[in-house]
Amino acid sequence: IKRIGVFTSGGDAPGMNACIRAVVRTAIYEGKKVSGILHGYQGMIDKNIIDMNSRSVSNILQLGGTILKTARCLDFRSPEGRQKAYHNIKAEGIDALVAIGGDGTFTGAEVFSREFDIPVVGIPGTIDNDLYGSDFTLGYDTANNTVIDAIDKIRDTAASHDRLFFIEVMGRDSGCIALNCGIAGGAEAILLPEKETGIDELIAKLENAAKDKKTSTIVIVAEGDKNGGAYNVAKRVQEKFDFYDAKVTILGHLQRGGSPSSFDRVLASRLGFAAVKNLLRGETRIMVGLRGNEIVTTPLEEALRSKEFKLAEDMIEMTNVLAI
Ligand code: F6P
């Protein structure tokens, strides 16, 4: 390996910059050259590639977003798109890749690496925390802190007005943010994509809260909840239960921004360092991750396909208990 290409792809996540810094500096320390591919796979297709050195990543450790930009690239799904991408990165002398992103990124990396026999190591970067093979993904901790800060603020106003709030958090397929922040924010109910809760079941919980003279009630709704989002849930609840004045807050993309927490900065640095070390050791089509306090590797295929339930059962059970 002479030149490593690094890129971020899919939804951005706080900690991606700290990770890019670690990849670039570790590779240079090991005597390799580094290219930054802009806008993920789109940058390979458009040949939007820059040369990087240690100074290109100065002062980015603490920044949210990604200096390499990111995209969700449809063209890369076609064999023609991938052929073009390969042609372009080869012309730049890139002979190995570090892919920072989530499941869409790894699906592309897996196929590309097999088709063109190019070594790839993946780094889990998504606020969703939905990859098997790492207890935490980059950005998840920061996003949780952002969401908890918002829930606390909403609680102030909810309690002052005796209101019921439905707060929608990100996670199309993953309830990790919803469950974690629901517990940390003292939510009265949490709706998850992984576990269906019917409207009547939810109303029963809210009625109990009202009977017990709760002055405010917060329901966290994961984006991927099967009832169709916070506005829908609020509407259906209010049709049958109008004890409280209900309000809806969708936290949306603010959950993706902000300076990474210290946890995410350290995780990003460890994973970036480990990704390059593993590439240079001859490993490919793996994802580096954190298990306990150890850096581990998992085949990309497994990281993507495992249906391991990532939500802790005790946390689901305790949501009802701690809300009484
Ligand atoms: O995968 C990260 C994520 O923020 C999800 O939680 C969310 O469903 C999705 O990306 C939103 O994607 P976009 O920014 O493309 O709208």
Side-chain angles (χ1 to χ4, degrees):
I1 293 174
K2 293 204 174 92
R3 180 177 283 272
I4 296 174
V6 58
F7 64 97
T8 50
S9 159
D12 62 331
M16 280 183 163
N17 282 326
C19 191
I20 294 165
R21 169 180 176 269
V23 169
V24 171
R25 291 194 173 166
T26 307
I28 287 169
Y29 183 87
E30 296 287 346
K32 306 299 169 190
K33 301 230 180 297
V34 187
S35 294
I37 302 163
L38 301 177
H39 298 283
Y41 294 115
Q42 197 61 50
M44 293 189 196
I45 294 173
D46 300 341
K47 212 174 183 197
N48 204 350
I49 299 171
I50 54 169
D51 202 39
M52 296 187 89
N53 58 42
S54 289
R55 295 288 72 75
S56 337
V57 290
S58 292
N59 239 329
I60 64 165
L61 174 79
Q62 72 280 22
L63 302 181
T66 160
I67 62 158
L68 290 179
K69 310 274 188 169
T70 185
R72 300 192 193 274
C73 176
L74 288 179
D75 292 347
F76 199 74
R77 296 195 185 169
S78 72
E80 299 75 34
R82 293 194 293 274
Q83 179 66 53
K84 199 165 174 206
Y86 181 68
H87 175 83
N88 286 340
I89 62 166
K90 196 148 174 59
E92 291 286 317
I94 296 171
D95 50 10
L97 292 168
V98 173
I100 309 170
D103 50 0
T105 308
F106 291 171
T107 305
E110 234 263 317
V111 173
F112 193 57
S113 168
R114 279 187 201 285
E115 267 175 358
F116 299 100
D117 197 25
I118 180 157
V120 175
V121 172
I123 299 178
T126 163
I127 64 163
D128 292 348
N129 201 31
D130 58 350
L131 289 160
Y132 174 76
S134 189
D135 293 344
F136 301 105
T137 55
L138 292 185
Y140 175 63
D141 183 64
T142 307
N144 274 301
N145 290 326
T146 303
V147 171
I148 287 158
D149 182 52
I151 295 175
D152 288 349
K153 286 177 172 147
I154 290 171
R155 179 71 78 179
D156 289 345
T157 177
S160 304
H161 285 265
D162 293 342
R163 275 177 174 157
L164 162 62
F165 267 85
F166 294 90
I167 305 176
E168 186 176 300
V169 301
M170 274 188 166
R172 216 166 5 214
D173 305 304
S174 163
C176 286
I177 293 180
L179 183 59
N180 214 52
C181 294
I183 288 178
E188 276 65 28
I190 307 171
L191 304 187
L192 305 165
E194 292 89 343
K195 191 179 178 296
E196 260 178 69
T197 306
I199 295 294
D200 290 337
E201 192 185 332
L202 175 62
I203 290 175
K205 280 186 194 177
L206 301 178
E207 279 171 347
N208 281 337
K211 256 191 237 134
D212 281 344
K213 300 193 172 36
K214 284 213 167 203
T215 55
S216 63
T217 300
I218 289 182
V219 178
I220 302 295
V221 183
E223 185 188 358
D225 166 63
K226 303 290 181 294
N227 294 298
Y231 276 110
N232 252 316
V233 175
K235 190 166 161 273
R236 289 173 62 196
V237 166
Q238 288 265 270
E239 278 163 10
K240 292 192 184 168
F241 176 74
D242 60 2
F243 178 82
Y244 293 105
D245 180 18
K247 298 280 175 191
V248 176
T249 303
I250 311 260
L251 296 181
H253 285 81
L254 76 81
Q255 295 164 90
R256 289 242 293 265
S259 178
S261 64
S262 94
F263 180 88
D264 273 330
R265 295 182 198 194
V266 174
L267 180 65
S269 304
R270 289 181 81 180
L271 294 181
F273 174 78
V276 173
K277 289 284 197 187
N278 274 285
L279 256 187
L280 299 182
R281 231 179 265 140
E283 298 277 353
T284 182
R285 289 195 285 278
I286 52 154
M287 180 191 90
V288 287
L290 184 77
R291 280 269 192 225
N293 194 26
E294 261 180 55
I295 300 297
V296 296
T297 64
T298 307
L300 278 183
E301 218 172 14
E302 221 176 295
L304 283 166
R305 322 269 186 260
S306 172
K307 289 279 167 254
E308 187 201 41
F309 194 57
K310 209 155 184 183
L311 303 180
E313 296 284 358
D314 67 306
M315 287 173 72
I316 295 181
E317 192 191 336
M318 84 167 79
T319 56
N320 294 331
V321 177
L322 301 190
I324 61 170

